[in-house]
């Protein structure tokens, strides 16, 4: 694994940016041996400045790939890598960091790729070489294998090369390189194809890399894609045996499709408004047209409510399909997202149809979920939703998930789909949404076989990754791997049994154990360990999936141990290992870890700061990503909760809106106090949590009244010893004498003692405390020279926060919901503001129906929220008088009235 920079040769004629950093070479080499792709990305750079500066190596690796090596060479000083158990690696890293001899490698999620990034301080005149190795199994989709390589060098390279070699013993049907990098690079790629081998080369000159003839920036910024397929002779699949392992590739063709029972579950919440919904409707109409006469189907659309086009499955007759298209056309997005109830309704319909004998015994049942967001209504805990759906499906049918947009929790969709014999795919919510949806549907719309069982001679084969599969879809491929005793075996036979459209099939394959030896050993590019690596890749992924659904903690621990041992044996980074990169003297160390879910965090006191980064809503609670919901006036309506309504908030000057979940009402009141006063919002001695807001006044009075707003909000988490102060200028975390500050011009996060602070530039801050509670503070900016108004803050607190029964404060007291009785509704002074009588806490008074504002979706105009308004600073609704909630300091607990 050691590399040297001695082969650089002449490094003149480099194009440098203003930072005087030159990219001498950027090389990607990938070799595919029987669907196993080994990829190396190498960058050689030089610091031609007269001062030391940071050089960045930032590449993207496909999600699911295993990183197995990273090396770095700084002018002859070589850093090499080794894999260690994660806690051991972190301990070694922490020890080095304490001595000032450590640097981190950042791994983070980015759509369908994973970022691998490191920064190294390089002295003037020094050269540095980075080299990253990873491997992955190329999956077959729509009758084609697709190998995707990210090519984003970031600057012009004197030598630029992407080199792909394909070795497939089955023989190559075709090799194709689509123009995925754009017309700028049309005609540069060369393809050389033989019977079983192919070579793809992409070598743009420096002139060809330029965005324009006089530009100093590169046009290379995308994915290089190679597509191919192999020859298939046997319906029983192809067996490849080499070096003590076998791989069985199973992809039969020319079979009649099985009939399918399919439920489309479509998210129509407010966030789907606009282009996403338009493209979804267009795609669904095309998909419905492709249903076969033997298929049965129905539609479910959901926001905070769940609606069924038909309560049961219907045959895909032309009349029913046309009626479904008309129904789809009438959908108007609004409201929240109740994923749990929607999926449970779908599973109920399929289970009921099965129990009533309405399904063809040879048919395949499936659910296709289309959603763009996290749950915001109903069950919000993702693990609970996953468990509910698993228990309801009972391995009887498959769940496929389409995640639309950049904000969707794609990892959750992957887990829930894999858990239920399906798969997930992300599409990006743009002009191509419709085409991407149809492409995904085509992958799962042609079931050819079900109840597939692979059988091998038990006395010769061991450690088989998986021997049974639920369904096989046309254009895909099933891959099985295992160990084989080649010393006492001349031939390996496999027998595959499965249910086809009209019969039970038995497919046999016989392969000579020595058949591949000569072919592989003659090819210098073939990976001699491809069978071993494929077996390990499949085994680790299977164990990771089994671990997610392990019914007991003991079983989960045993699976974890097995994954760890496999990771160490095969030198790969998995969720339970980390990569240490050291120099020969072992006194300089780097750590490469798996990317973390930002909602959970990993290490106390870490600071992640990403200026000008795109919004990553995965770090933000689902309720904080609400979308606008149209409001209509109705007498005392009590509908299921909508995401824009089911929240407690204080905003503007200051207006309180209290949401009562049980009675599904919003109660509002204003507090009129003085600048500088501090109001207690939450005081919970049980959990040790305090939330206080300090008022700031407008620049001058209007109509003889000086409006006040929250200019500073303090959070005190006593049990953690943490204080958070948020002003209109900055966000500060304090832990004793330790402190970290971000400004509103940053996008980033702070993690300390499992408390996560996520900052969205010039917009909002969310504070998440494990799974127990979360808060959002919204920033309101006004024109700097405005004669009256000032910058201020609003705070939003979900009622699901787990406060103790001792909680109090202007908002905290409603953690225990009081009984509220509203009656005798009557016309008010204005027709749009009816009045009623409210009885609560032994008090009886008049309230007025009106509108307040939720500013989470529109910080300028806000979204209208209906509520019953309590006059006189909430008198009668809140305990005591509002002055009872004044506290002396920003982190003071309230003395309960």
């Amino acid at each position: 694994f050691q590399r040297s920079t001695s082969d650089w040769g002449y490094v003149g004629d480099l194009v440098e940016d203003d930072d005087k950093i030159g990219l001498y070479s950027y090389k990607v080499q990938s070799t595919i041996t029987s669907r196993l792709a080994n990829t190396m990305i190498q960058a050689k750079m030089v610091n031609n400045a007269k001062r030391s500066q940071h050089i960045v190596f930032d590449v993207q690796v496909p999600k699911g790939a295993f990183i197995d090596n990273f090396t770095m060479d700084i002018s002859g000083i070589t850093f090499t890598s080794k894999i260690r158990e994660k806690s051991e690696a972190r301990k070694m890293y922490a020890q080095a960091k304490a001595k000032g001899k450590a640097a981190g490698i950042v791994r983070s999620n980015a759509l369908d790729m994973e970022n691998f990034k490191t920064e190294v301080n390089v002295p003037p005149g020094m050269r540095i070489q980075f080299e990253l190795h990873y491997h992955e199994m190329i999956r077959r989709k729509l009758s084609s294998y697709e190998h995707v390589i990210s090519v984003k060098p970031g600057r012009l390279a004197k030598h630029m090369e992407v080199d792909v070699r394909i070795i497939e013993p089955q023989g190559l049907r075709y090799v194709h390189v689509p123009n995925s990098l754009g017309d700028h690079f049309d005609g540069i790629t060369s393809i050389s194809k033989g019977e079983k081998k192919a070579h793809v080369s992409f070598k743009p000159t420096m002139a060809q890399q330029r965005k324009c003839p006089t530009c100093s920036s590169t046009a290379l910024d995308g994915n290089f894609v190679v597509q191919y397929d192999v020859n298939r002779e046997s319906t029983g699949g192809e067996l490849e045996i080499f070096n003590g392992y076998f791989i069985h590739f199973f992809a039969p063709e020319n079979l009649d499709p099985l009939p399918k029972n399919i439920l489309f579950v479509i998210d129509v919440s407010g966030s789907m408004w606009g282009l996403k919904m338009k493209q979804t409707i267009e795609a669904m109409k095309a998909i419905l047209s492709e249903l076969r006469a033997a298929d049965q189907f129905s539609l479910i659309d959901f926001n905070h409510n769940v609606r069924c086009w038909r309560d049961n499955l219907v045959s895909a007759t032309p009349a029913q399909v046309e009626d479904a298209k008309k129904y789809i056309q009438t959908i108007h997005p609004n409201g929240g997202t109740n994923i749990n109830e929607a999926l449970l309704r779908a599973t109920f319909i399929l289970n009921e149809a099965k129990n009533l004998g309405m399904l063809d015994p040879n048919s395949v049942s499936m659910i296709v979920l289309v959603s763009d967001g996290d749950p915001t209504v109903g069950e919000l805990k993702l693990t609970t939703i996953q468990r509910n759906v698993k228990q309801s499906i009972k391995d009887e049918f498959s769940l496929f998930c389409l995640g639309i947009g950049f904000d969707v929790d794609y990892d959750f969709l992957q887990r829930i789909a894999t858990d239920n014999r399906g798969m997930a795919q992300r599409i990006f919510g743009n002009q191509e949404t419709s085409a991407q949806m149809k492409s995904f549907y085509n992958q799962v719309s042609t079931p050819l076989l079900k109840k597939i069982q692979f059988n091998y001679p038990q006395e010769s084969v061991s450690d088989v990754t998986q021997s049974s599969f639920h369904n096989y879809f046309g254009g895909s491929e099933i891959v099985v791997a295992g160990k084989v005793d080649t010393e006492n075996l001349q031939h390996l036979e496999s027998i595959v049994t499965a249910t086809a459209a009209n019969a039970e099939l038995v497919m046999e394959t016989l392969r000579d154990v020595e058949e591949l030896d000569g072919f592989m050993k003659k090819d210098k590019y073939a990976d001699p360990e491809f069978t071993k690596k494929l077996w390990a890749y499949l085994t680790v992924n299977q164990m990771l999936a089994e671990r997610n659904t392990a019914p007991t903690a003991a079983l989960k621990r045993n699976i974890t141990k097995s994954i760890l041992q496999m990771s160490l044996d095969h030198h790969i980074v998995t969720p339970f290992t980390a990569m240490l990169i050291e120099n020969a003297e072992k006194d300089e160390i780097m750590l490469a870890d798996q990317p973390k879910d930002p909602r959970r965090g990993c290490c106390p006191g870490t600071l992640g700061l990403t200026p000008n980064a795109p919004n990553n809503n995965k770090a933000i609670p689902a309720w904080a990503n609400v979308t606008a919901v149209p409001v209509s006036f109705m007498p005392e309506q009590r509908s299921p909760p909508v995401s824009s309504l089911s929240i407690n908030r204080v905003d503007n000057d200051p207006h309180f809106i209290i949401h009562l979940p049980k009675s599904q009402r919003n109660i509002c009141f204003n507090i009129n106090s003085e600048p500088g006063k501090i109001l207690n919002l939450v005081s919970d001695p049980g959990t040790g949590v305090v939330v206080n807001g300090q008022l700031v006044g407008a620049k001058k009075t209007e109509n003889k009244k000086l409006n006040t707003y929250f200019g500073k909000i303090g959070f005190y988490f006593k049990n953690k010893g943490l204080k958070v102060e948020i002003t209109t200028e900055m966000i500060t975390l304090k832990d004793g004498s330790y402190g970290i500050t971000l400004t509103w011009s940053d996008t980033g996060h702070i993690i300390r003692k499992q408390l996560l602070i996520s900052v969205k530039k010039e917009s909002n801050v969310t504070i998440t405390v494990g799974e127990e509670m979360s808060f959002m503070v919204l920033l309101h900016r006004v024109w700097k020279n405005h004669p009256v108004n000032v910058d201020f803050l609003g705070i939003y607190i979900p009622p699901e926060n787990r406060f103790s029964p001792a909680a109090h404060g202007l908002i905290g007291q409603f953690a225990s919901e009081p009984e509220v009785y509203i009656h005798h509704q009557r016309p008010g002074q204005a027709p749009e503001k009816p009045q009623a009588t409210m009885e609560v806490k032994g008090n009886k008074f008049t309230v007025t129906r009106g509108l307040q504002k939720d500013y989470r979706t529109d910080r300028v105009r806000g979204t209208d929220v209906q509520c019953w308004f309590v006059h006189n600073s909430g008198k009668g609704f809140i305990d005591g008088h509002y002055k009872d909630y004044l506290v002396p300091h920003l982190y003071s607990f309230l003395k309960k009235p």
Side-chain angles (χ1 to χ4, degrees):
F1 292 120
Q2 293 203 13
R3 296 289 185 272
S4 172
T5 56
S6 61
D7 60 343
W8 281 37
Y10 177 63
V11 295
D13 300 329
L14 296 184
V15 174
E16 301 165 350
D17 291 343
D18 293 339
D19 56 14
K20 297 293 182 182
I21 294 173
L23 178 58
Y24 172 75
S25 169
Y26 193 92
K27 182 185 295 185
V28 182
Q29 290 181 339
S30 192
T31 302
I32 303 170
T33 310
S34 285
R35 284 67 139 192
L36 178 78
N38 289 294
T39 302
M40 180 272 290
I41 304 175
Q42 181 193 80
K44 298 179 179 180
M45 307 175 78
V46 60
N47 177 18
N48 285 327
K50 294 181 180 180
R51 57 182 175 82
S52 295
Q53 56 182 340
H54 289 278
I55 290 183
V56 177
F57 177 68
D58 187 1
V59 298
Q60 290 190 329
V61 175
K63 279 188 178 177
F66 287 154
I67 293 174
D68 50 46
N69 189 38
F70 174 69
T71 60
M72 189 173 67
D73 191 304
I74 306 176
S75 291
I77 301 173
T78 303
F79 288 72
T80 56
S81 65
K82 57 187 178 184
I83 303 295
R84 291 288 184 267
E85 189 271 330
K86 181 168 285 188
S87 60
E88 178 190 351
R90 285 183 176 170
K91 183 179 179 181
M92 295 173 67
Y93 175 74
Q95 290 171 349
K97 189 174 182 181
K99 299 175 183 177
K101 298 289 186 179
I105 291 178
V106 178
R107 293 182 64 192
S108 59
N109 291 317
L111 304 182
D112 286 343
M113 306 292 277
E114 177 190 300
N115 277 34
F116 183 99
K117 178 182 178 181
T118 186
E119 290 188 30
V120 179
N121 191 39
V122 178
M126 289 284 192
R127 306 171 184 177
I128 185 167
Q129 174 179 303
F130 302 97
E131 191 169 299
L132 177 71
H133 293 250
Y134 64 88
H135 66 266
E136 60 179 322
M137 191 179 82
I138 308 300
R139 302 280 183 178
R140 189 171 187 251
K141 297 178 182 178
L142 300 176
S143 302
S144 175
Y145 299 98
E146 186 172 272
H147 184 36
V148 179
I149 301 169
S150 176
V151 184
K152 299 181 178 182
R155 58 183 75 219
L156 295 173
K158 183 177 181 180
H159 300 284
M160 176 73 218
E161 177 183 4
V162 177
D163 189 270
V164 180
R165 293 187 181 272
I166 306 171
I167 301 104
E168 288 288 356
Q170 282 182 239
L172 291 164
R173 283 178 57 199
Y174 67 85
V175 177
H176 173 60
V177 179
N179 193 17
S180 56
L181 290 171
D183 296 340
H184 190 93
F185 299 101
D186 191 23
I188 297 177
T189 303
S190 65
I191 302 174
S192 173
K193 175 186 171 297
E195 181 185 352
K196 297 183 178 182
K197 305 174 186 178
H199 180 213
V200 177
S201 181
F202 174 72
K203 291 184 177 181
T205 64
M206 193 178 288
Q208 290 169 329
Q209 295 171 48
R210 296 180 188 272
K211 280 188 177 181
C212 66
T214 58
C215 292
S216 61
S217 55
T218 180
L220 272 172
D221 185 21
N223 292 332
F224 186 82
V225 179
V226 178
Q227 297 171 335
Y228 72 95
D229 200 13
V230 299
N231 298 322
R232 302 180 195 282
E233 298 176 358
S234 169
T235 56
E238 293 294 328
L239 279 170
E240 295 185 0
I241 308 153
F242 193 65
N243 280 354
Y245 295 84
F246 78 88
I247 309 293
H248 191 169
F249 299 104
F250 181 74
E253 297 178 333
N254 302 318
L255 296 171
D256 293 330
L258 295 166
K260 60 182 177 288
N261 317 298
I262 185 166
L263 263 166
F264 299 99
V265 181
I266 305 168
D267 182 349
V268 295
S269 61
S271 57
M272 288 286 287
W273 185 268
L275 182 61
K276 281 192 282 191
M277 194 74 250
K278 181 180 178 182
Q279 293 275 309
T280 299
I281 290 172
E282 180 184 330
M284 281 305 306
K285 288 165 69 176
I287 287 168
L288 290 169
S289 296
E290 294 176 10
L291 291 171
R292 299 179 180 88
D295 296 337
Q296 296 188 94
F297 79 105
S298 189
L299 299 168
I300 291 175
D301 63 288
F302 71 97
N303 46 24
H304 50 287
N305 290 320
V306 177
R307 291 167 294 276
C308 299
W309 166 67
R310 295 284 187 270
D311 289 328
N312 53 280
L313 295 169
V314 299
S315 297
T317 63
Q320 294 283 21
V321 168
E322 193 58 36
D323 192 65
K325 289 181 184 178
K326 291 178 181 176
Y327 178 82
I328 289 284
Q329 198 69 48
T330 64
I331 289 174
H332 296 291
N334 66 80
T337 308
N338 195 339
I339 291 177
N340 184 67
E341 187 178 341
L343 288 176
L344 293 184
R345 183 76 62 87
T347 59
F348 173 81
I349 291 174
L350 285 175
N351 282 322
E352 185 179 48
K354 180 178 181 293
N355 295 337
L356 295 174
M358 297 171 58
L359 306 183
D360 184 331
N362 287 338
S363 65
V364 170
S365 298
M366 64 182 75
I367 296 169
V368 177
L369 169 68
V370 181
S371 180
D372 77 329
D374 289 342
T376 61
V377 176
E379 179 57 62
L380 302 182
K381 193 174 181 180
L382 299 182
T383 53
T384 302
I385 296 173
Q386 189 175 348
R387 183 174 61 251
N388 291 345
V389 173
K390 176 73 174 175
Q391 290 173 349
S392 185
I393 286 181
K394 301 172 186 173
D395 288 338
E396 292 292 332
F397 35 89
S398 300
L399 171 63
F400 299 95
C401 299
L402 263 175
I404 299 180
F406 297 89
D407 303 333
V408 66
D409 190 339
Y410 182 60
D411 289 340
F412 165 66
L413 295 184
Q414 277 189 313
R415 287 197 306 273
I416 199 171
T418 304
D419 205 12
N420 294 286
R421 303 177 183 269
M423 64 178 184
Q425 183 168 317
R426 184 206 297 273
I427 56 182
F428 300 118
N430 53 26
Q431 295 290 348
E432 302 300 319
T433 295
S434 179
Q436 294 174 54
M437 284 185 65
K438 286 183 279 188
S439 174
F440 176 80
Y441 174 74
N442 289 337
Q443 293 179 49
V444 302
S445 64
T446 315
L448 300 181
L449 296 171
K450 62 184 293 188
K451 298 179 181 177
I452 308 150
Q453 185 72 41
F454 290 80
N455 299 284
Y456 309 96
Q458 292 183 0
E459 67 277 6
S460 305
V461 168
S462 63
D463 295 332
V464 177
T465 51
Q466 191 169 342
S467 58
S468 62
F469 294 82
H470 197 55
N471 298 313
Y472 166 70
F473 295 90
S476 65
E477 182 175 62
I478 293 175
V479 183
V480 180
K483 297 178 180 178
V484 61
D485 181 6
T486 54
E487 292 185 4
N488 303 310
L489 189 70
Q490 292 184 333
H491 306 281
L492 179 63
E493 181 183 26
S494 75
I495 300 175
V496 184
T497 59
T499 301
N502 301 307
E504 295 294 319
L505 292 184
V506 178
M507 294 158 279
E508 298 184 32
T509 301
L510 185 69
R511 187 67 66 221
D512 189 329
V513 169
E514 304 297 329
E515 186 173 323
L516 269 184
D517 284 8
F519 173 76
M520 286 297 178
K521 289 174 180 176
K522 287 179 185 177
D523 194 295
K524 66 178 182 179
Y525 296 105
D527 184 347
E529 294 193 327
F530 81 94
T531 49
K532 180 181 178 181
K533 288 181 179 178
L534 275 172
W535 172 79
Y537 182 92
L538 291 167
T539 302
V540 169
N541 277 291
Q542 181 181 322
M543 287 193 292
L544 287 169
E546 290 173 352
R547 184 182 182 276
N548 284 338
T549 57
T552 66
L555 179 57
K556 181 173 283 191
R557 283 195 298 271
N558 289 336
I559 296 173
T560 301
K561 290 179 182 177
S562 299
I563 297 170
L564 174 60
Q565 193 59 53
M566 284 278 293
S567 306
L568 297 174
D569 291 345
H570 295 270
H571 201 265
I572 52 179
V573 181
T574 65
F576 309 107
T577 56
M579 178 180 285
L580 286 171
I581 301 98
E582 299 175 313
N583 63 354
E585 291 74 25
K586 301 186 183 302
D587 60 356
E588 297 280 352
I589 190 169
M590 305 176 76
L591 176 71
D593 212 340
Q594 273 230 330
K596 283 287 170 187
D597 183 341
R599 289 171 297 190
R600 298 188 181 274
C602 74
C603 316
T606 60
L607 168 64
L609 187 59
T610 50
N612 304 318
N615 177 26
N616 179 2
N617 286 341
K618 288 187 68 179
I620 301 172
W623 59 267
N625 293 317
V626 68
T627 54
V629 180
V631 174
S632 58
F633 281 100
M634 294 179 63
E636 192 39 13
Q637 58 182 11
R638 299 192 197 181
S639 58
V642 180
S643 58
S644 71
L645 305 180
S646 52
I647 197 81
N648 298 317
R649 73 215 88 182
V650 189
D651 218 323
N652 219 318
D653 59 339
H655 299 313
F656 287 69
I657 306 178
I658 304 299
H659 177 70
L660 305 178
K662 292 179 184 177
S663 60
Q664 289 305 311
R665 291 189 177 99
N666 292 307
I667 310 298
C668 311
F669 58 93
N670 294 346
I671 296 292
N672 298 310
S673 190
E674 302 167 11
K677 297 291 186 182
I678 301 174
L679 291 170
N680 175 256
L681 306 178
V682 177
S683 179
D684 187 3
T687 60
V689 174
V690 167
V691 184
N692 293 325
Q694 185 169 26
L695 297 173
V696 61
K699 294 177 181 176
K700 63 180 182 180
T701 59
E702 280 190 320
N703 300 321
K704 299 182 179 180
K705 176 190 173 185
L706 181 68
N707 287 330
T708 55
Y709 310 83
F710 282 135
K712 183 184 295 183
I713 295 177
F715 297 82
Y716 179 30
F717 302 94
K718 182 179 179 181
N719 296 343
K720 295 179 180 290
L722 298 178
K723 296 177 180 178
V724 181
E725 179 178 312
I726 302 176
T727 71
T728 56
E729 302 300 325
M730 62 187 64
I731 304 97
T732 303
L733 170 71
K734 299 176 183 177
D735 183 1
S737 60
Y738 172 88
I740 298 178
T741 298
L742 297 180
T743 70
W744 282 103
S745 60
D746 298 321
T747 290
H749 62 265
I750 303 171
I751 303 170
R752 185 81 172 175
K753 297 179 179 177
Q754 305 210 326
L755 181 139
L756 169 67
I757 303 174
S758 297
V759 182
K760 183 178 177 183
K761 181 178 179 179
E762 294 295 331
S763 177
N764 61 64
V765 175
T766 57
I767 300 175
T768 308
V769 189
E771 295 182 354
E772 288 74 40
M773 57 185 70
S774 55
F775 309 86
M776 183 173 80
V777 175
L778 200 66
L779 173 67
H780 294 273
R781 288 271 190 237
V782 299
W783 175 43
K784 187 176 182 179
N785 296 320
H786 194 285
V788 178
N789 296 336
V790 294
D791 295 344
F792 65 96
L793 305 170
I795 182 167
Y796 295 73
I797 305 176
E800 293 82 8
N801 276 0
R802 298 175 192 172
F803 297 123
S804 77
H808 210 262
L810 287 167
I811 293 177
Q813 64 186 287
F814 299 104
S816 300
E817 183 175 332
E819 291 290 331
V820 175
Y821 180 45
I822 298 177
H823 58 92
H824 191 45
Q825 187 169 329
R826 53 200 180 271
Q829 294 181 351
E832 70 274 14
K833 293 184 177 181
Q835 293 185 336
T837 299
M838 175 184 287
E839 294 185 41
V840 60
K841 300 178 180 179
N843 301 314
K844 185 176 180 180
F845 46 88
T846 297
V847 291
T848 303
R849 188 76 162 164
L851 294 176
Q852 292 286 12
K853 295 288 187 180
D854 183 320
Y855 291 93
R856 284 174 293 165
T857 57
D858 186 337
R859 286 183 297 139
V860 178
R861 294 180 296 273
T863 302
D864 288 336
V865 177
Q866 289 185 359
C867 66
W868 287 106
F869 185 81
V870 180
H871 303 273
N872 300 319
S873 298
K875 185 179 179 181
F877 181 62
I878 63 173
D879 293 337
H881 191 274
Y882 88 85
K883 291 184 178 180
D884 298 331
Y885 298 88
L886 295 174
V887 292
H889 305 293
L890 196 60
Y891 304 111
S892 297
F893 278 83
L894 178 71
K895 292 182 180 179
K896 190 173 178 179

